[in-house]
Amino acid sequence: MPAVTVENPLTLPRVTAPTDAVARPVLTVTTAPSGFEGEGFPVRRAFAGINYRHLDPFIMMDQMGEVEYAPGEPKGTPWHPHRGFETVTYIIDGIFDHQDSQGGGGTITNGDTQWMTAGSGLLHIEAPPEHLVMSGGLFHGLQLWVNLPAKDKMMAPRYQDIRGGSVQLLSTPDGGALLRVIAGELDGHQGPGITHTPITMLHATLAPGAELTLPWREDFNGLAYVLAGRGSVGTERRPVHTGQTAVFGAGSSLTVRADEKQDSNTPDLEVVLLGGQPIREPMAHYGPFVMNTKDELMQAFEDFQKGRLGTVPAVHGMSEAGPQA
């Protein structure tokens, strides 16, 4: 799980919660069910079973892989539409090509993120490049859906290619945790992702026995998803392991701790931390569309069927390496 790393975290800016911070309690821990997406790549549904009031403004998140493909096995998705929200694709291991019906897209690989604002709608495809299909290899990533408020749902689509080298790297005072801030702000440090809905998204790697206590905006919710490893969440040290999501309650700091002993194949605790300002608007979600009303959903399906969200390009338009944005 390389993503983005450094040899010595102690060379990075440090972050810690203020001494008067109010610790967020852990409300619930859920285990993600496994399934398949697109053309058949394995996923864990990170938010399954969690009440939307705890997720808002996040809609869903899939952990894609971790899977070691044999030659000919790598899979992606067919062309499909989106409207009314943003997709965030974070690749930890492997390579994914993206393309849309408006000419956007690119190639993302270890530690890169592609942030697609679907807005008023487009057609979209995600697939491994041909050379990876031929060779096989490791594939692991996340796709997060972030809702848009009603005023932004019909905005023009937009892409952001966030290269791994541009994420904000931070550490804890003792150097026991490496933080990669992909979007939003943490203790005055800004990630590169530009968001319409205020959120914070970061990937933390905690060495065995390390503890991470971060300041967290009181007007944000708080979620922790375990990509790999074992540890605990909250000051009450509620156990968590790979494929589990912790929901935090109200407060101004959150705590994650890595167990002293980890499995041999996952030497560290890998956690994605998410926080966002709830939109608190009605949500109508079906398939690839996220709107405010059923009538808007019906309009989205009609627009898709009549070709108003675009058409599939006749030529894929990507080389094996893919264009760099």
Side-chain angles (χ1 to χ4, degrees):
M1 189 179 291
V4 179
T5 189
V6 294
E7 286 189 14
N8 183 7
L10 291 173
T11 62
L12 300 172
R14 319 291 172 79
V15 59
T16 188
T19 55
D20 60 349
V22 177
R24 286 177 174 249
V26 177
L27 301 181
T28 183
V29 173
T30 60
T31 301
S34 297
F36 293 91
E37 187 55 80
E39 297 171 337
F41 57 84
V43 297
R44 285 191 175 104
R45 308 288 191 189
F47 295 162
I50 300 175
N51 191 297
Y52 183 64
R53 72 176 184 273
H54 298 313
L55 298 177
D56 185 12
F58 307 110
I59 301 164
M60 58 150 277
M61 186 168 73
D62 283 346
Q63 181 180 8
M64 305 178 293
E66 183 176 11
V67 59
E68 183 76 42
Y69 283 120
E73 285 188 343
K75 299 174 176 67
T77 68
W79 283 94
H80 57 281
H82 285 311
R83 173 180 279 180
F85 64 102
E86 300 183 284
T87 66
V88 182
T89 306
Y90 173 49
I91 296 299
I92 301 167
D93 292 288
I95 308 172
F96 236 21
D97 281 346
H98 291 240
Q99 189 186 15
D100 74 21
S101 53
Q102 296 197 358
T107 298
I108 52 176
T109 185
N110 301 345
D112 295 340
T113 302
Q114 185 171 81
W115 204 292
M116 186 185 80
T117 304
S120 60
L122 42 64
L123 304 182
H124 176 61
I125 190 171
E126 303 157 293
E130 184 63 28
H131 70 84
L132 182 62
V133 175
M134 297 296 291
S135 66
L138 186 62
F139 181 76
H140 188 199
L142 285 177
Q143 186 167 96
L144 171 71
W145 289 14
V146 185
N147 203 3
L148 288 170
K151 66 182 180 64
D152 292 330
K153 283 194 177 294
M154 296 300 287
M155 68 178 295
R158 181 184 71 179
Y159 263 103
Q160 298 175 67
D161 279 300
I162 303 170
R163 298 298 162 186
S166 70
V167 302
Q168 175 68 62
L169 299 180
L170 304 169
S171 185
T172 47
D174 64 0
L178 171 63
L179 312 179
R180 308 164 186 87
V181 183
I182 296 168
E185 180 267 344
L186 182 67
D187 196 29
H189 302 279
Q190 190 72 39
I194 300 169
T195 69
H196 292 282
T197 303
I199 73 166
T200 294
M201 177 183 182
L202 64 94
H203 172 192
T205 299
L206 285 76
E211 185 169 283
L212 173 66
T213 298
L214 298 177
W216 210 252
R217 279 180 51 167
E218 293 186 65
D219 59 337
F220 278 20
N221 59 359
L223 302 163
Y225 177 72
V226 182
L227 290 166
R230 294 183 174 274
S232 60
V233 286
T235 54
E236 61 269 50
R237 293 195 177 183
R238 184 141 173 201
V240 289
H241 59 73
T242 302
Q244 291 192 314
T245 302
V247 177
F248 290 90
S252 55
S253 71
L254 53 79
T255 296
V256 179
R257 189 179 188 279
D259 283 356
E260 296 282 353
K261 292 184 179 180
Q262 300 290 333
D263 298 333
S264 58
N265 60 330
T266 54
D268 301 308
L269 176 65
E270 304 281 351
V271 181
V272 171
L273 297 173
L274 297 167
Q277 192 173 67
I279 296 173
R280 296 193 176 96
E281 292 177 351
M283 184 179 71
H285 171 203
Y286 189 82
F289 304 124
V290 183
M291 306 303 292
N292 293 101
T293 68
K294 289 184 178 179
D295 286 346
E296 290 171 343
L297 274 184
M298 292 174 64
Q299 185 64 55
F301 275 103
E302 179 182 329
D303 289 347
F304 169 54
Q305 290 165 353
K306 292 187 176 180
R308 296 172 187 150
L309 301 190
T311 56
V312 175
V315 180
H316 188 277
M318 290 188 184
S319 67
E320 277 196 354
Q324 297 297 309

